[in-house]
Amino acid sequence: MTPPAEPETEADTDADPGLLAPGWAGSPAASATGDTAYLQALLDAEAALTRAQAALDLAPAEAASAVTGAADAGRFDLRSLAGRARAGGNPVIPLVGELTTAVGEEYGPYVHRGATSQDIMDTATMLVAARTLDLVLGDLGRTERALARLAAEHRDTAMPGRTLTQHAVPTTFGLKAAGWRSLVLDARDRVSAVRDSLPAQLGGAAGTLAAFGAYGASDPTALLAAYARELGLRAPDLPWHTLRTPIADLAGCLAFTAGALGKVAVDVLTLSRTEIAEVAECSGGGSSAMPHKSNPVRSTLIASAARRAPQLAATLYGSLAAEDERPAGAWHAEWEPLRELLRLVGGAARDAVELAEGLRVRPDAMREHLDLTHGLIVSERLSAELAPVLGRARAKELLTRLAAGGRPLAEAPELADVDLDPTHYTGSAGALTDRALERR
């Protein structure tokens, strides 16, 4: 093992601080998924295994204390471990050697006893995922609360509804914000369910727990339960070396969350266009060439994450087809895309908080835009009201002719006594908003 050194910061040790990844650079999720955090999770997994064995009288209590005391990421050289991981295909192999040396001759034999590298790697991955998802859940909570406030405040703020890029019928900004919140809550629920289901991994060489029996465990399955308790993870029914449901579940909830936040972002991007300007980010980003610009950077970064997440999730789903009792390549293919997914979603959740809490809404612009089509935005309502008088076909023909003429509908004598105010045609938007806000 390399000589003990002062603990390094994440910026010192992480080979990728995010120069080309402004969406997650500097976020809590970046620290929770960095190389130092991953190394600490590997060490936590090793220490928990020795403690679990000690709890069942399969190892001395002193061994558990010694391994736990040595399991400090600051004592290990990340760059050296990364370089030597290539020889065995994973970082656990060189780490076990260094940790054994750090623990010392008396208790070193209790390091990693009965486990296989994938046990530690998978368990560490679950720890990193759990710690990152906790951060994501906190940010999703803040985002939904901010969106709830916007929805309540603008319950009756009428605006153009848009379908296929064109004005359709009026809606309300409150209903739009309530819809955004509903997606965020859907994401929260999925992330919460996956977070609570993340399992420890312990199976030994081929998933039979045989080595633990050889080391004296009368009931190796009890060791699996004790190990999970030490880690704060769920005890799995079976070792899951090639049963990759936990990874697939992570892929699904993370990709969904990126997409849910992406929906909010792309709506804000559309509504904040210069020619629309119905909303604006609280503090936009500048341009290197155009001093007048205030770009919707938070929305841009969230939208970027939403576009990347499905492809990363697809790689993880592809790894479900894992042969034998330990696959060659499928398991290894998961590490980087899963970490990138956690980072992307963690960064997007951070940016969503800033976006939702600082979003500026411009009701005057919304009201102005309702009048752009000179009453045509309520043509659906007019068609319904005129049909009993003129017949459905004649009513449609009249409105189509008036629309083609480009004249304001208020000037048409046939519509002299008809209410053309678009704010009076928002349907059940208010009631739907209230209903959506009842969800907790």
Side-chain angles (χ1 to χ4, degrees), residues 39-329:
L39 174 58
Q40 189 59 60
L42 291 168
L43 291 164
D44 291 342
E46 291 286 4
L49 177 58
T50 310
R51 290 198 304 272
Q53 291 177 331
L56 299 180
D57 295 324
L58 301 172
E62 294 81 1
S65 297
V67 176
T68 300
D72 178 359
R75 300 182 59 170
F76 298 83
D77 186 332
L78 264 173
R79 190 175 298 277
S80 173
L81 287 170
R84 287 181 289 133
R86 191 168 183 270
N90 72 77
V92 177
I93 296 171
L95 179 61
V96 168
E98 292 204 6
L99 180 59
T100 300
T101 301
V103 170
E105 184 176 349
E106 183 176 5
Y107 298 119
Y110 293 97
V111 172
H112 196 72
R113 194 170 69 161
T116 190
S117 294
Q118 191 176 357
D119 289 333
I120 302 304
M121 196 71 192
D122 281 347
T123 297
T125 296
M126 294 299 102
L127 288 174
V128 168
R131 292 161 183 173
T132 308
L133 293 186
D134 286 341
L135 298 171
V136 170
L137 286 169
D139 284 340
L140 291 178
R142 287 182 61 185
T143 299
E144 72 87 2
R145 289 191 292 274
L147 293 176
R149 290 192 293 271
L150 285 172
E153 180 181 351
H154 294 283
R155 177 187 186 275
D156 301 313
T157 299
M159 65 179 293
R162 296 172 172 91
T163 62
L164 301 180
T165 77
Q166 307 296 299
H167 282 201
V169 296
T171 185
T172 67
F173 185 73
L175 183 58
K176 183 177 287 288
W180 293 343
R181 176 178 180 265
S182 179
L183 277 175
V184 173
L185 290 175
D186 288 343
R188 178 204 65 187
D189 291 348
R190 284 159 174 75
V191 172
S192 294
V194 171
R195 167 63 181 88
D196 291 342
S197 70
L198 295 176
Q201 169 74 295
L202 192 64
T208 65
L209 299 168
F212 300 108
Y215 282 115
S218 59
D219 179 9
T221 61
L223 177 60
L224 178 54
Y227 185 49
R229 283 195 300 272
E230 289 288 339
L231 294 159
L233 297 173
R234 183 178 63 83
D237 294 329
L238 294 171
W240 47 279
H241 296 132
T242 53
L243 310 174
R244 308 307 280 173
T245 301
I247 301 296
D249 285 346
L250 274 167
C253 83
L254 290 168
F256 179 88
T257 300
L261 297 176
K263 162 60 177 170
V264 182
V266 297
D267 275 353
V268 171
L269 289 170
T270 297
L271 297 178
S272 62
R273 288 176 179 270
T274 303
E275 61 271 25
I276 298 177
E278 292 176 358
V279 302
E281 291 191 9
C282 183
S283 57
S287 164
S288 63
M290 294 166 284
H292 70 281
K293 293 195 72 180
S294 180
N295 296 318
V297 174
R298 301 281 78 74
S299 300
T300 297
L301 295 177
I302 296 169
S304 172
R307 284 165 170 78
R308 292 188 60 202
Q311 287 70 42
L312 292 166
T315 298
L316 298 174
Y317 282 125
S319 295
L320 279 167
E323 72 278 3
D324 301 326
E325 279 63 57
R326 180 164 302 106

Side-chain angles (χ1 to χ4, degrees), residues 4 335 354 417:
W335 306 336
E354 296 180 12
D417 298 323

Side-chain angles (χ1 to χ4, degrees), residues 17-34:
L19 180 64
L20 301 183
W24 56 255
S27 69
S31 295
T33 57

